[in-house]
Amino acid sequence: MATYRILSLDGGGIRGLVTAVLMERLLSEAPGWLDKVDLVAGTSTGGIIALGLANGLTPAELHNFYYQKGKRIFDDSWADDIRDLGGLTGADYDNIHLKEELANVFGSTLLKQLRKRVLISAFDLNNDAKRCWKPKFFHNFQGSDSDGERRAADVALYTSAAPTFFPTADRYIDGGVVANNPGMAALAQTQDTRTNINPRPAIHDIVLLSLGTGQSLCVIEGKNLDWGYAHWARALVNIMIDGSVGVADYQCRQILREKYFRLNPTFPPGKQFNLDDVAKMDDMIAFAENSVDISSTVEWLGTYWA
């Protein structure tokens, strides 16, 4: 069978700007590789990018979206700070501006109307049928469990509702709490017999490129921490989101071997970019444009993707 190509995009808030710039550079070095994608999977900011690509946006257009709209999306007014006591009793940001910008990008487009197959992760806090919470993976494959009738703008909002950063959206929160790297979920989706893929790719026919939003050198100091809720609250969110990335990376690498490649650059010592660091967007762009070696990624694309 012909090669089946998956592009997997991590979450990371405004660091999606790094992903967009890296994709721009890869396109300049390996023209046409993005056109060959069969399935694009994304979580959180990666979910927004995945939906944007599937809707026909280019990496350059996504780069501009993040740079031009980031400060409006992550707009923390003094009134909001007073209302939620600086984040203690409410999310750091409301999602009003995020909703508006997603509506501007996707309009009323349904998942089934996108140009590519997508898989977008979220987490459902209240499944009405069984009264339980569970991961939710939205997709537009034909089949009995298809989400093709869902609006792309809504799914983009669900996948990016990061706890403590944004409010929940229609009972959903950020898929990063379970699959910040959706690579393994995408691989599993191709093997789901409820999904109409004809012909269905065998594992040995699949290649997977996984792009991260960059990782900071950071640790929690101390060997025996006696912390309570106040100390662990934000740390646990980051641990869950960052920790799941490594699990999916290990699983995909073990299954696909040389047909899997991950590009997730490490920021230099002293450089830390948080999910909402819109004041550092120029630094993120400079890092992604000038400090990341993509030669091995380009070589891998030429060998396995093309």
Side-chain angles (χ1 to χ4, degrees), residues 288-299:
E289 287 181 340
N290 305 315
S291 302
V292 182
D293 182 2
I294 63 169
S295 58
S296 56
T297 314
V298 172
E299 182 181 355

Side-chain angles (χ1 to χ4, degrees), residues 42-44 119-123 136-138 158-159 173-176 179 182:
T43 293
S44 193
L119 182 75
I120 311 297
S121 69
F123 193 84
K136 168 62 180 176
F137 294 93
F138 295 92
Y158 301 158
T159 190
I173 60 172
D174 196 310

Side-chain angles (χ1 to χ4, degrees), residues 43-62:
T43 293
S44 193
T45 198
I48 294 174
I49 295 174
L51 290 164
L53 292 173
N55 201 37
L57 295 181
T58 66
E61 289 171 326
L62 289 162

Side-chain angles (χ1 to χ4, degrees), residues 193-212:
T193 56
R194 295 170 299 176
T195 298
N196 185 9
I197 306 179
N198 189 24
R200 186 176 307 283
I203 291 296
H204 62 261
D205 292 320
I206 296 173
V207 294
L208 197 161
L209 175 62
S210 176
L211 297 182

Side-chain angles (χ1 to χ4, degrees), residues 20 51 66 89 117 177 205 272 288:
L51 290 164
Y66 276 84
T89 62
R117 297 301 186 194
V177 300
D205 292 320
Q272 184 165 342

Side-chain angles (χ1 to χ4, degrees), residues 70-87 90-97 165-166 276 278:
K71 289 183 179 179
R72 184 167 188 261
I73 291 170
F74 290 102
D75 178 21
D76 192 20
S77 68
W78 63 268
D80 180 66
D81 275 345
I82 292 174
R83 200 163 46 242
D84 60 29
L85 300 181
D92 284 342
Y93 310 97
D94 62 43
N95 57 14
I96 295 173
H97 294 156
F165 287 94
F166 291 110
D276 56 350
V278 289

